[in-house]
Short mmCIF file of all heavy atoms in Angstrom, two decimals:
data_model
loop_
_atom_site.label_atom_id
_atom_site.label_comp_id
_atom_site.label_asym_id
_atom_site.label_seq_id
_atom_site.Cartn_x
_atom_site.Cartn_y
_atom_site.Cartn_z
N ARG A 54 31.16 -153.51 301.21
CA ARG A 54 31.16 -153.41 299.75
C ARG A 54 29.84 -152.86 299.21
O ARG A 54 29.74 -152.53 298.03
CB ARG A 54 31.47 -154.76 299.10
CG ARG A 54 30.47 -155.84 299.33
CD ARG A 54 31.03 -157.18 298.86
NE ARG A 54 30.82 -157.39 297.44
CZ ARG A 54 29.70 -157.85 296.93
NH1 ARG A 54 28.66 -158.12 297.69
NH2 ARG A 54 29.58 -158.02 295.63
N ARG A 57 28.13 -146.52 300.57
CA ARG A 57 28.26 -145.44 299.62
C ARG A 57 28.99 -144.23 300.19
O ARG A 57 29.58 -143.46 299.48
CB ARG A 57 26.83 -145.08 299.21
CG ARG A 57 26.68 -143.76 298.59
CD ARG A 57 25.31 -143.64 298.06
NE ARG A 57 25.45 -143.36 296.66
CZ ARG A 57 24.46 -143.10 295.84
NH1 ARG A 57 23.23 -143.13 296.27
NH2 ARG A 57 24.68 -142.82 294.59
N GLY A 136 32.33 -144.55 293.07
CA GLY A 136 32.07 -145.95 292.73
C GLY A 136 31.47 -146.75 293.86
O GLY A 136 31.10 -147.90 293.68
N GLY A 137 31.40 -146.17 295.07
CA GLY A 137 30.77 -146.88 296.18
C GLY A 137 31.73 -147.79 296.94
O GLY A 137 32.95 -147.76 296.74
N LYS A 139 32.43 -150.97 297.04
CA LYS A 139 33.30 -151.99 296.48
C LYS A 139 34.60 -151.37 295.98
O LYS A 139 35.68 -151.95 296.14
CB LYS A 139 32.61 -152.77 295.37
CG LYS A 139 33.43 -153.97 294.95
CD LYS A 139 32.71 -154.86 293.99
CE LYS A 139 33.64 -155.94 293.49
NZ LYS A 139 33.11 -156.57 292.28
N ALA A 263 20.48 -150.93 296.19
CA ALA A 263 19.53 -150.62 295.12
C ALA A 263 18.15 -151.24 295.35
O ALA A 263 17.20 -150.93 294.64
CB ALA A 263 20.08 -151.07 293.78
N VAL A 325 14.49 -151.03 290.93
CA VAL A 325 15.03 -152.09 290.08
C VAL A 325 13.89 -152.91 289.48
O VAL A 325 13.85 -153.16 288.28
CB VAL A 325 15.97 -152.99 290.89
CG1 VAL A 325 16.25 -154.28 290.14
CG2 VAL A 325 17.26 -152.25 291.19
N GLN B 15 20.21 -154.18 282.87
CA GLN B 15 21.31 -153.66 283.68
C GLN B 15 21.11 -152.18 283.99
O GLN B 15 21.33 -151.73 285.10
CB GLN B 15 22.64 -153.89 282.98
CG GLN B 15 22.94 -155.36 282.76
CD GLN B 15 24.39 -155.64 282.44
OE1 GLN B 15 25.25 -154.78 282.58
NE2 GLN B 15 24.68 -156.85 282.00
N MET B 16 20.68 -151.42 282.99
CA MET B 16 20.49 -149.98 283.21
C MET B 16 19.39 -149.72 284.24
O MET B 16 19.43 -148.75 284.98
CB MET B 16 20.14 -149.29 281.89
CG MET B 16 21.33 -149.03 280.99
SD MET B 16 22.52 -147.89 281.70
CE MET B 16 23.86 -148.98 282.11
N GLU B 17 18.39 -150.60 284.27
CA GLU B 17 17.33 -150.39 285.26
C GLU B 17 17.87 -150.60 286.68
O GLU B 17 17.46 -149.92 287.61
CB GLU B 17 16.13 -151.29 284.95
CG GLU B 17 15.25 -150.62 283.90
CD GLU B 17 14.30 -151.53 283.17
OE1 GLU B 17 14.24 -152.74 283.50
OE2 GLU B 17 13.61 -151.05 282.26
N ILE B 18 18.80 -151.53 286.81
CA ILE B 18 19.43 -151.72 288.13
C ILE B 18 20.35 -150.55 288.44
O ILE B 18 20.30 -149.97 289.53
CB ILE B 18 20.18 -153.07 288.17
CG1 ILE B 18 19.16 -154.22 288.07
CG2 ILE B 18 21.00 -153.20 289.45
CD1 ILE B 18 19.74 -155.61 288.06
N CYS B 19 21.16 -150.17 287.49
CA CYS B 19 22.06 -149.02 287.70
C CYS B 19 21.28 -147.76 288.06
O CYS B 19 21.70 -146.97 288.89
CB CYS B 19 22.88 -148.74 286.45
SG CYS B 19 24.14 -149.96 286.12
N ASN B 20 20.14 -147.59 287.43
CA ASN B 20 19.37 -146.37 287.63
C ASN B 20 18.79 -146.32 289.05
O ASN B 20 18.52 -145.23 289.57
CB ASN B 20 18.25 -146.28 286.59
CG ASN B 20 17.93 -144.85 286.23
OD1 ASN B 20 18.59 -143.91 286.69
ND2 ASN B 20 16.92 -144.67 285.42
N ALA B 21 18.62 -147.47 289.67
CA ALA B 21 18.17 -147.47 291.06
C ALA B 21 19.35 -147.42 292.02
O ALA B 21 19.21 -147.04 293.17
CB ALA B 21 17.33 -148.72 291.33
N CYS B 22 20.52 -147.78 291.55
CA CYS B 22 21.72 -147.87 292.40
C CYS B 22 22.52 -146.58 292.35
O CYS B 22 22.76 -145.93 293.36
CB CYS B 22 22.55 -149.07 291.93
SG CYS B 22 24.23 -149.12 292.59
N ARG B 23 22.96 -146.23 291.17
CA ARG B 23 23.65 -144.95 290.90
C ARG B 23 24.97 -144.76 291.63
O ARG B 23 25.46 -143.64 291.76
CB ARG B 23 22.72 -143.77 291.22
CG ARG B 23 21.46 -143.82 290.38
CD ARG B 23 20.63 -142.58 290.51
NE ARG B 23 19.48 -142.66 289.60
CZ ARG B 23 18.60 -141.70 289.42
NH1 ARG B 23 18.74 -140.56 290.06
NH2 ARG B 23 17.60 -141.86 288.58
N TYR B 24 25.55 -145.83 292.13
CA TYR B 24 26.85 -145.70 292.80
C TYR B 24 27.92 -145.18 291.84
O TYR B 24 28.88 -144.56 292.26
CB TYR B 24 27.30 -147.06 293.35
CG TYR B 24 26.76 -147.39 294.71
CD1 TYR B 24 25.55 -146.86 295.15
CD2 TYR B 24 27.46 -148.22 295.58
CE1 TYR B 24 25.05 -147.17 296.38
CE2 TYR B 24 26.97 -148.53 296.83
CZ TYR B 24 25.76 -148.00 297.23
OH TYR B 24 25.27 -148.31 298.46
N CYS B 25 27.76 -145.46 290.56
CA CYS B 25 28.81 -145.13 289.61
C CYS B 25 28.63 -143.75 289.00
O CYS B 25 29.28 -143.42 288.01
CB CYS B 25 28.88 -146.19 288.52
SG CYS B 25 29.43 -147.76 289.22
N GLU B 26 27.74 -142.94 289.57
CA GLU B 26 27.42 -141.68 288.92
C GLU B 26 28.64 -140.78 288.72
O GLU B 26 28.65 -139.94 287.84
CB GLU B 26 26.34 -140.93 289.69
CG GLU B 26 26.77 -140.52 291.09
CD GLU B 26 25.65 -139.84 291.86
OE1 GLU B 26 24.59 -139.58 291.30
OE2 GLU B 26 25.85 -139.59 293.07
N TYR B 28 31.61 -141.72 287.79
CA TYR B 28 32.65 -142.26 286.92
C TYR B 28 32.72 -141.62 285.55
O TYR B 28 33.80 -141.34 285.05
CB TYR B 28 32.46 -143.78 286.75
CG TYR B 28 33.18 -144.57 287.80
CD1 TYR B 28 32.50 -145.43 288.64
CD2 TYR B 28 34.54 -144.44 287.97
CE1 TYR B 28 33.16 -146.14 289.62
CE2 TYR B 28 35.21 -145.14 288.95
CZ TYR B 28 34.51 -145.99 289.78
OH TYR B 28 35.16 -146.69 290.74
N PHE B 32 26.43 -142.26 283.32
CA PHE B 32 25.49 -142.38 284.43
C PHE B 32 24.61 -141.14 284.59
O PHE B 32 23.39 -141.29 284.76
CB PHE B 32 26.21 -142.81 285.70
CG PHE B 32 26.75 -144.20 285.57
CD1 PHE B 32 28.02 -144.44 285.08
CD2 PHE B 32 25.94 -145.29 285.85
CE1 PHE B 32 28.49 -145.72 284.90
CE2 PHE B 32 26.40 -146.58 285.68
CZ PHE B 32 27.68 -146.81 285.20
N MET B 35 22.15 -141.45 281.97
CA MET B 35 21.18 -142.50 282.31
C MET B 35 20.08 -141.96 283.23
O MET B 35 18.90 -142.24 283.03
CB MET B 35 21.92 -143.65 282.98
CG MET B 35 21.05 -144.67 283.69
SD MET B 35 22.04 -145.71 284.78
CE MET B 35 22.21 -144.64 286.22
N GLY B 58 35.61 -148.79 285.07
CA GLY B 58 35.43 -148.37 286.45
C GLY B 58 34.18 -148.96 287.06
O GLY B 58 34.20 -149.47 288.18
N CYS B 59 33.09 -148.90 286.30
CA CYS B 59 31.81 -149.34 286.86
C CYS B 59 31.77 -150.85 287.04
O CYS B 59 30.94 -151.36 287.78
CB CYS B 59 30.65 -148.86 286.00
SG CYS B 59 30.66 -149.52 284.35
N TYR B 60 32.62 -151.57 286.36
CA TYR B 60 32.66 -153.02 286.57
C TYR B 60 33.37 -153.34 287.88
O TYR B 60 32.87 -154.08 288.72
CB TYR B 60 33.36 -153.71 285.40
CG TYR B 60 33.66 -155.17 285.65
CD1 TYR B 60 32.67 -156.14 285.47
CD2 TYR B 60 34.92 -155.59 286.08
CE1 TYR B 60 32.93 -157.48 285.71
CE2 TYR B 60 35.19 -156.93 286.32
CZ TYR B 60 34.19 -157.87 286.13
OH TYR B 60 34.46 -159.20 286.38
N HIS B 61 34.55 -152.76 288.04
CA HIS B 61 35.32 -153.07 289.25
C HIS B 61 34.65 -152.53 290.51
O HIS B 61 34.90 -153.03 291.60
CB HIS B 61 36.75 -152.56 289.11
CG HIS B 61 37.55 -153.37 288.14
ND1 HIS B 61 37.97 -154.65 288.41
CD2 HIS B 61 37.97 -153.10 286.88
CE1 HIS B 61 38.62 -155.13 287.37
NE2 HIS B 61 38.64 -154.21 286.42
N ALA B 62 33.81 -151.51 290.35
CA ALA B 62 33.15 -150.94 291.53
C ALA B 62 31.81 -151.61 291.79
O ALA B 62 31.17 -151.30 292.79
CB ALA B 62 32.94 -149.45 291.33
N CYS B 63 31.37 -152.48 290.90
CA CYS B 63 29.97 -152.91 290.99
C CYS B 63 29.74 -153.96 292.06
O CYS B 63 30.32 -155.04 292.02
CB CYS B 63 29.47 -153.42 289.64
SG CYS B 63 27.71 -153.77 289.72
N GLN B 64 28.85 -153.61 292.99
CA GLN B 64 28.46 -154.57 294.02
C GLN B 64 27.67 -155.72 293.43
O GLN B 64 27.47 -156.73 294.09
CB GLN B 64 27.65 -153.84 295.09
CG GLN B 64 26.48 -153.05 294.52
CD GLN B 64 25.77 -152.20 295.57
OE1 GLN B 64 25.66 -152.59 296.72
NE2 GLN B 64 25.27 -151.04 295.18
N TYR B 65 27.21 -155.57 292.19
CA TYR B 65 26.39 -156.61 291.56
C TYR B 65 27.10 -157.32 290.41
O TYR B 65 26.46 -157.98 289.60
CB TYR B 65 25.08 -156.01 291.05
CG TYR B 65 24.29 -155.30 292.11
CD1 TYR B 65 23.90 -153.98 291.96
CD2 TYR B 65 23.93 -155.96 293.28
CE1 TYR B 65 23.17 -153.33 292.94
CE2 TYR B 65 23.20 -155.33 294.27
CZ TYR B 65 22.83 -154.00 294.10
OH TYR B 65 22.11 -153.37 295.08
N ALA B 66 28.42 -157.14 290.31
CA ALA B 66 29.17 -157.80 289.23
C ALA B 66 29.17 -159.31 289.49
O ALA B 66 29.02 -159.74 290.63
CB ALA B 66 30.59 -157.25 289.18
N PHE B 71 22.88 -160.82 290.12
CA PHE B 71 22.45 -159.78 289.17
C PHE B 71 23.37 -159.71 287.95
O PHE B 71 22.98 -159.20 286.91
CB PHE B 71 22.41 -158.40 289.85
CG PHE B 71 21.24 -158.20 290.78
CD1 PHE B 71 21.10 -157.03 291.50
CD2 PHE B 71 20.27 -159.18 290.93
CE1 PHE B 71 20.02 -156.83 292.36
CE2 PHE B 71 19.19 -159.00 291.79
CZ PHE B 71 19.06 -157.82 292.50
N ILE B 73 25.89 -157.88 286.84
CA ILE B 73 26.04 -156.62 286.10
C ILE B 73 27.45 -156.51 285.53
O ILE B 73 28.44 -156.66 286.25
CB ILE B 73 25.78 -155.41 287.03
CG1 ILE B 73 24.40 -155.50 287.66
CG2 ILE B 73 25.95 -154.09 286.26
CD1 ILE B 73 23.26 -155.28 286.73
N ASN B 74 27.52 -156.27 284.23
CA ASN B 74 28.81 -156.08 283.59
C ASN B 74 28.59 -155.05 282.47
O ASN B 74 28.45 -155.39 281.31
CB ASN B 74 29.33 -157.41 283.03
CG ASN B 74 30.76 -157.32 282.57
OD1 ASN B 74 31.26 -156.23 282.26
ND2 ASN B 74 31.43 -158.45 282.50
N VAL B 75 28.52 -153.81 282.87
CA VAL B 75 28.17 -152.74 281.93
C VAL B 75 29.19 -152.62 280.79
O VAL B 75 28.80 -152.58 279.63
CB VAL B 75 27.98 -151.40 282.67
CG1 VAL B 75 27.76 -150.26 281.70
CG2 VAL B 75 26.80 -151.49 283.64
N PRO B 76 30.51 -152.57 281.08
CA PRO B 76 31.44 -152.39 279.96
C PRO B 76 31.33 -153.50 278.92
O PRO B 76 31.39 -153.22 277.72
CB PRO B 76 32.82 -152.44 280.62
CG PRO B 76 32.59 -152.29 282.08
CD PRO B 76 31.17 -152.60 282.39
S1 LIG C 15 27.47 -150.65 287.65
FE1 LIG C 15 26.82 -151.65 289.55
S2 LIG C 15 27.50 -150.31 291.21
FE2 LIG C 15 27.58 -149.10 289.29
S3 LIG C 15 25.58 -148.06 289.19
FE3 LIG C 15 25.39 -149.99 288.04
S4 LIG C 15 24.60 -151.46 289.53
FE4 LIG C 15 25.41 -149.72 290.69
#
Side-chain angles (χ1 to χ4, degrees):
Chain A
R54 65 190 275 277
R57 161 171 238 185
K139 189 172 173 197
V325 165
Chain B
Q15 298 197 12
M16 281 296 107
E17 277 161 4
I18 293 179
C19 288
N20 211 5
C22 166
R23 300 189 176 184
Y24 275 27
C25 293
E26 64 183 353
Y28 271 121
F32 293 90
M35 166 195 81
C59 63
Y60 170 81
H61 288 289
C63 186
Q64 53 186 325
Y65 304 125
F71 285 177
I73 303 290
N74 190 337
V75 174

